[in-house]
Amino acid sequence: MDTLNYLMDGFGIALQPHNLMFALLGAFLGTLIGALPGLGPANGVAILIPLAFTLGLRPETALIMLTSVYAGAMYGGRISSILLNIPGDEPAMMTCLDGYPMAKNGRAAEALAISAVASFMGSLIATVGLILLAPLLAKFALTFGAAEYFALFVLAFATLGGITGKNPVKTILAAAIGLIIATMGIDMSTGVQRFTFGTLELYEGVDFIIAIVGLFAISELLVFIEEKAGAGREMIKVNKLKLSWRDITSILPTTVRGGVIGFIAGVLPGAGASLGSFISYTLEKKYLGSKATFGEGDSRGVAAPEAGNNGASSGALVPMLTLGVPGSGTTAVLLAMLISFNITPGPLMFTQNADIVWGVIAALLIGNFLLLLLNIPLVGVFVKLLSVPPMFLLPVVTMVAFVGVYSISHSVFDLYFMVAFGVGGYILRKLEIPLVPVILGLLLGPEMEKNLRHAMQISDGDWTILWSSGLSITLWVVAIVGLILPVIVGPILRRRMRAKQPD
């Protein structure tokens, strides 16, 4: 009953005209961003965070807009997968397998509509799961002490990238780089300067927003300049939509199964939408067997991965809101935004900032319907966007990033620092070192250090306190398994994913 009352209060916030307007704006922009190959939800949210500060949005409004961008980008990723056979981002890769054959068979409009319905169902199922599970997990997390939180942060680093990571060693290296950057500034406990190099602007440490925009947006521009991908791609013509009620009902069982599987994958820290999409497609193919023609343009082959990746995107909000541990790369960016508003995600957020939590959850429910209404009638607009050469789009994105960052602090130093992060991000990408663990290390490093120090003070320097309770031992075991498992299972899964990838 309390959950229902909180949810009603959340609807009261989400349905305020200005919040509804920003939810609609975020859903539209997110779909546009998701449709562009290579950008993806993490880049989209990172680019638009400065806009939230520039407009002076309240925390709940900013989070509603950015979670709508997140959901919209997950929807939009399917457009280029179906029409160009190019995934908008990694989770949309499995949609290519049947979406592109459907388009080549003259059923592009049906494929796009089915993917929109499946995305809606998957996200709706996961949002309901978020409503039911998040309060319970938040209450459980209140039993955590300093040692348990430290073990939880170790678990977050150990599982980030997880089975879907290309190289666990590089993932750990990236997280270490983020932790090193997090130590810059004045130590709050001792007052000692750390890695400031006598620069006044570094006394307060590194601003999350500058780091995120530089690592994602600026590095993306540099990669584009190197590749000189100046021309748009020829795509399949979209036919007139001929979707019957029977076509929709035939995919409903698939979307329900995919949404549940995706939600479970999203709740696991580090698993994310890619794993949700892959498992949903693979299990559905095995479940249907000879009843399906997966890989040849089966509509259920479109519905399964779309329900899976959208279910996972909403599921990834569960560990972020309840434990302060991001469940995906995009939620790591959202975590940075919350911290910038001086809001600490975790179990206390459900009591201290209940209006924000439940406002966002209600906005997710509303946003699902907005996205469904946007994606079917406006699909022609999103399709035309794909024909615009990236050489015109990316400079606009970069300009938004510069203006947004400068409007926050009015500091030229921050712009130089953002460019430096962009160059660093470009180098890391060339070395195939992932960027998300760097952000995670930067975000969680201060809290991880604080809990470690607190545990040491409580135990008078006795390190065994870090594994003295059953809960902390469990977290350490899961962290060790999460660190070792990708080394064993990861190569097997990646070989299977490459084998299923279209030529």
Side-chain angles (χ1 to χ4, degrees), residues 252-501:
L252 287 182
T254 295
T255 58
V256 171
R257 288 189 288 267
V260 172
I261 292 170
F263 174 71
I264 295 171
V267 171
L268 300 173
S274 300
L275 185 64
S277 174
F278 175 76
I279 293 179
S280 296
Y281 184 92
T282 303
L283 292 183
E284 190 66 18
K285 183 178 180 180
K286 289 184 178 179
Y287 176 76
L288 294 175
S290 59
K291 299 177 184 177
T293 55
F294 277 30
E296 301 176 15
D298 194 309
S299 59
R300 290 165 295 185
V302 174
E306 284 300 304
N309 67 39
N310 283 274
S313 66
S314 295
L317 292 171
V318 174
M320 187 200 83
L321 293 174
T322 58
L323 302 174
V325 175
S328 68
T330 312
T331 52
V333 179
L334 290 173
L335 182 68
M337 193 274 295
L338 283 174
I339 294 174
S340 298
F341 276 113
N342 294 320
I343 297 171
T344 303
L348 294 179
M349 189 176 175
F350 279 76
T351 54
Q352 296 175 350
N353 303 103
D355 55 335
I356 295 176
V357 174
W358 291 103
V360 168
I361 292 174
L364 279 174
L365 287 171
I366 297 170
N368 288 328
F369 289 93
L370 291 176
L371 283 164
L372 186 63
L373 294 174
L374 278 174
N375 272 259
I376 293 180
L378 294 182
V379 70
V381 176
F382 302 129
V383 167
K384 287 186 181 297
L385 182 71
L386 291 178
S387 62
V388 178
M391 65 182 294
F392 299 121
L393 290 174
L394 279 176
V396 174
V397 169
T398 308
M399 182 188 70
V400 171
F402 271 89
V403 173
V405 168
Y406 184 76
S407 65
I408 295 173
S409 62
H410 301 285
S411 169
V412 176
F413 177 86
D414 287 349
L415 295 180
Y416 287 131
F417 211 25
M418 180 182 70
V419 172
F421 270 106
V423 173
Y426 167 78
I427 294 172
L428 292 178
R429 290 174 68 166
K430 296 302 293 182
L431 296 174
E432 296 186 350
I433 296 176
L435 300 181
V436 170
V438 179
I439 295 297
L440 189 67
L442 181 58
L443 292 175
L444 299 186
E447 283 296 312
M448 188 177 185
E449 180 184 10
K450 185 177 76 174
N451 281 283
L452 176 60
R453 286 188 174 186
H454 189 195
M456 291 297 97
Q457 289 171 355
I458 293 173
S459 65
D460 197 24
D462 184 2
W463 287 90
T464 58
I465 191 176
L466 298 178
W467 45 84
S468 60
S469 67
L471 179 57
S472 60
I473 292 173
T474 302
L475 292 171
W476 279 106
V477 170
V478 175
I480 293 170
V481 171
L483 195 61
I484 296 175
L485 194 63
V487 179
I488 302 172
V489 180
I492 300 174
L493 268 182
R494 286 195 296 276
R495 281 197 298 271
R496 290 184 179 179
M497 291 178 76
R498 280 196 295 268
K500 292 178 182 292
Q501 208 171 355

Side-chain angles (χ1 to χ4, degrees), residues 89-350:
D89 56 0
E90 189 179 345
M93 182 183 71
M94 304 304 293
T95 307
C96 295
L97 302 180
D98 284 272
Y100 189 63
M102 283 185 70
K104 287 199 298 184
N105 293 334
R107 300 173 61 204
E110 286 86 344
L112 290 167
I114 286 171
S115 68
V117 172
S119 297
F120 167 77
M121 288 294 296
S123 186
L124 186 64
I125 290 169
T127 305
V128 172
L130 172 63
I131 294 170
L132 298 176
L133 181 60
L136 299 176
L137 190 57
K139 288 181 180 178
F140 172 69
L142 289 173
T143 63
F144 281 38
E148 286 76 17
Y149 265 113
F150 179 77
L152 181 66
F153 290 136
V154 173
L155 170 62
F157 287 116
T159 58
L160 185 71
I163 302 175
T164 59
K166 292 183 178 180
N167 189 320
V169 175
K170 289 183 178 180
T171 300
I172 295 171
L173 175 61
I177 292 172
L179 286 171
I180 292 171
I181 297 174
T183 61
M184 296 176 67
I186 295 178
D187 186 342
M188 292 295 103
S189 299
T190 63
V192 174
Q193 297 179 25
R194 301 188 299 190
F195 306 112
T196 60
F197 308 104
T199 304
L200 184 63
E201 287 84 356
L202 294 179
Y203 280 18
E204 294 183 0
V206 176
D207 190 302
F208 305 122
I209 307 303
I210 294 171
I212 288 172
V213 175
L215 285 172
F216 285 97
I218 305 301
S219 68
E220 184 70 32
L221 177 68
L222 295 175
V223 170
F224 163 73
I225 292 173
E226 180 191 34
E227 295 176 352
K228 297 180 180 179
R233 299 177 177 89
E234 184 179 352
M235 68 184 68
I236 292 173
K237 186 178 180 181
V238 178
N239 59 302
K240 187 176 180 180
L241 179 61
K242 298 176 183 178
L243 191 67
S244 66
W245 180 249
R246 183 179 178 182
D247 293 329
I248 295 176
T249 54
S250 67
I251 64 166
L252 287 182
T254 295
T255 58
V256 171
R257 288 189 288 267
V260 172
I261 292 170
F263 174 71
I264 295 171
V267 171
L268 300 173
S274 300
L275 185 64
S277 174
F278 175 76
I279 293 179
S280 296
Y281 184 92
T282 303
L283 292 183
E284 190 66 18
K285 183 178 180 180
K286 289 184 178 179
Y287 176 76
L288 294 175
S290 59
K291 299 177 184 177
T293 55
F294 277 30
E296 301 176 15
D298 194 309
S299 59
R300 290 165 295 185
V302 174
E306 284 300 304
N309 67 39
N310 283 274
S313 66
S314 295
L317 292 171
V318 174
M320 187 200 83
L321 293 174
T322 58
L323 302 174
V325 175
S328 68
T330 312
T331 52
V333 179
L334 290 173
L335 182 68
M337 193 274 295
L338 283 174
I339 294 174
S340 298
F341 276 113
N342 294 320
I343 297 171
T344 303
L348 294 179
M349 189 176 175
F350 279 76

Side-chain angles (χ1 to χ4, degrees), residues 78-91:
R78 80 202 190 285
I79 297 176
S80 58
S81 296
I82 292 170
L83 298 181
L84 298 174
N85 203 27
I86 301 173
D89 56 0
E90 189 179 345

